[in-house]
């Protein structure tokens, strides 16, 4: 039987909830990518989201609570609540890595130092959401799936984030280092294959640089059109000028007007 009226409107509204969750994650990724100016660090921070979602769905399944609109609201809340653990660890690790530490040592120290604030914020969130999950007050049955989803996702992600996020961070750092080494080897191969570098200032022969040949030609035309000549000692002098000897202190030569 087909639903009509308010029940049909409610069913149509629940269809777009997964798309809303996807757009939420995408917007958070874009904001983190702009803040960190990196495409890999937001992925490292968002590694806790699948764990939180799995934990929320698992607790809902164990307690035999249906997945309704309140449960989806709890999942959307988890997106904002869980990523703060990754932000605290990654931000501290990046600070230590810029100071000269390796990626492994930086993320280990970040996990140890940031463990206390992560536990404090997680426990405070869980304790604040427990009354909703238990079902106190009027209309608690409608809000109970929201609290169960939040508490289950926070508990499940709390114990696994401290292992998954550092592992993913180290993997991304190693991948980035491997890409840099590959680019360096590729540049050496291109240089040995016939891309010499001209050591004259302003005439670099890096042909892989876009527009390099055009700039070299323009520079040659400019130098050819300049009414200057080279002296025997290599110093440029203009037409009609005569040179005086160097000073006693070896400073630049003085030019006298005719």
């Amino acid at each position: 039987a087909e639903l009509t009226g308010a029940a049909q409107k409610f069913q149509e509204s629940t269809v777009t909830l997964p798309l809303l969750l996807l757009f939420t994650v995408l917007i958070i990724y874009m904001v983190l990518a702009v803040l960190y100016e990196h495409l890999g660090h937001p992925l490292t921070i968002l590694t806790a989201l699948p764990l939180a979602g799995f934990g929320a769905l698992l607790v809902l399944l164990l307690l035999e609570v249906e997945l309704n609109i309140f449960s989806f609201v709890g999942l959307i809340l988890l997106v904002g609540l869980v990523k703060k653990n990754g932000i605290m660890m990654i931000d501290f690790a990046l600070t230590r890595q810029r100071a000269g530490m390796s990626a492994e040592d930086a993320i280990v120290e970040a996990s140890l130092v940031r463990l206390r604030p992560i536990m404090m914020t997680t426990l405070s969130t869980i304790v604040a959401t427990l009354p909703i999950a238990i079902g106190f007050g009027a209309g608690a049955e409608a809000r109970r799936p929201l609290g169960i989803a939040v508490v289950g996702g926070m508990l499940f992600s709390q114990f696994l984030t401290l292992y998954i996020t550092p592992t993913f961070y180290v993997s991304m750092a190693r991948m980035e280092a491997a890409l840099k080494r590959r680019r360096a080897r590729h540049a050496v191969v291109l240089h040995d294959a016939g891309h010499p570098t001209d050591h004259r200032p302003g005439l670099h022969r890096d042909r892989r640089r876009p527009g390099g040949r055009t700039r070299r030609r323009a520079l040659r035309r400019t130098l050819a059109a300049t009414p200057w000549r080279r002296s025997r000692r290599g110093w440029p002098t203009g037409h009609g000028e005569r040179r005086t000897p160097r000073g006693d202190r070896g400073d630049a030569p003085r030019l006298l007007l005719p």
Side-chain angles (χ1 to χ4, degrees):
E2 296 182 358
L3 300 176
T4 58
Q8 183 180 4
K9 295 295 183 182
F10 180 79
Q11 186 180 12
E12 292 176 355
S13 63
T14 56
V15 174
T16 59
L17 287 177
L19 187 61
L20 178 62
L21 181 61
L22 179 63
F23 274 111
T24 303
V25 176
L26 182 61
I27 291 174
I28 290 177
Y29 174 81
M30 293 170 62
V31 172
L32 291 176
V34 171
L35 293 177
Y36 283 96
E37 297 180 356
H38 198 276
L39 297 178
H41 298 323
L43 290 177
T44 308
I45 294 173
L46 295 178
T47 51
L49 296 184
L51 304 175
F54 180 78
L57 296 176
L58 181 62
V59 174
L60 290 173
L61 181 62
L62 293 177
L63 297 180
E64 298 181 354
V65 178
E66 63 180 2
L67 185 64
N68 53 16
I69 188 172
F70 293 99
S71 304
F72 266 102
V73 172
L75 293 176
I76 295 174
L77 287 176
L78 281 175
V79 175
L81 294 174
V82 172
K83 67 180 178 60
K84 52 90 180 174
N85 298 339
I87 290 176
M88 284 191 287
M89 285 193 297
I90 300 304
D91 191 66
F92 190 89
L94 289 176
T95 304
R96 287 292 183 264
Q97 195 171 357
R98 294 190 188 101
M101 296 181 64
S102 63
E104 293 82 357
D105 297 336
I107 195 62
V108 168
E109 184 177 354
S111 301
L112 294 175
V113 174
R114 294 299 187 183
L115 177 62
R116 182 179 179 183
I118 288 175
M119 294 297 296
M120 291 173 60
T121 54
T122 302
L123 289 178
S124 62
T125 304
I126 292 174
V127 171
T129 318
L130 272 179
I132 303 177
I134 296 174
F136 290 143
E141 291 296 329
R143 300 188 300 269
R144 189 164 176 261
L146 187 150
I148 292 176
V150 172
V151 172
M154 292 293 292
L155 284 175
F156 195 82
S157 64
Q158 177 62 40
F159 295 103
L160 295 180
T161 302
L162 297 176
Y163 298 97
I164 302 298
T165 302
T167 304
F168 197 85
Y169 179 82
V170 174
S171 301
M172 292 293 292
R174 292 177 179 176
M175 186 182 303
E176 186 177 358
L179 289 176
K180 289 182 179 180
R181 290 194 299 267
R182 183 177 179 182
R183 291 176 182 174
R185 288 196 300 267
H186 185 64
V188 172
V189 170
L190 288 179
H191 183 274
D192 296 338
H195 295 273
T197 302
D198 195 338
H199 296 285
R200 289 177 294 174
L203 297 177
H204 299 292
R205 299 188 178 214
D206 190 359
R207 298 185 182 179
R208 291 177 290 110
R209 186 176 179 183
R213 184 176 301 178
T214 304
R215 285 192 294 269
R216 291 197 301 272
R217 290 175 179 174
L219 183 57
R220 290 193 185 101
R221 287 195 298 267
T222 304
L223 292 176
T226 304
W228 287 46
R229 59 182 175 84
R230 304 286 292 182
S231 66
R232 288 181 299 175
R233 296 189 179 183
W235 299 323
T237 58
H239 290 296
E241 298 176 350
R242 57 190 178 87
R243 183 180 306 281
T244 58
R246 280 180 179 267
D248 296 335
R249 293 178 298 175
D251 51 356
R254 292 168 295 180
L255 302 179
L256 297 179
L257 295 176

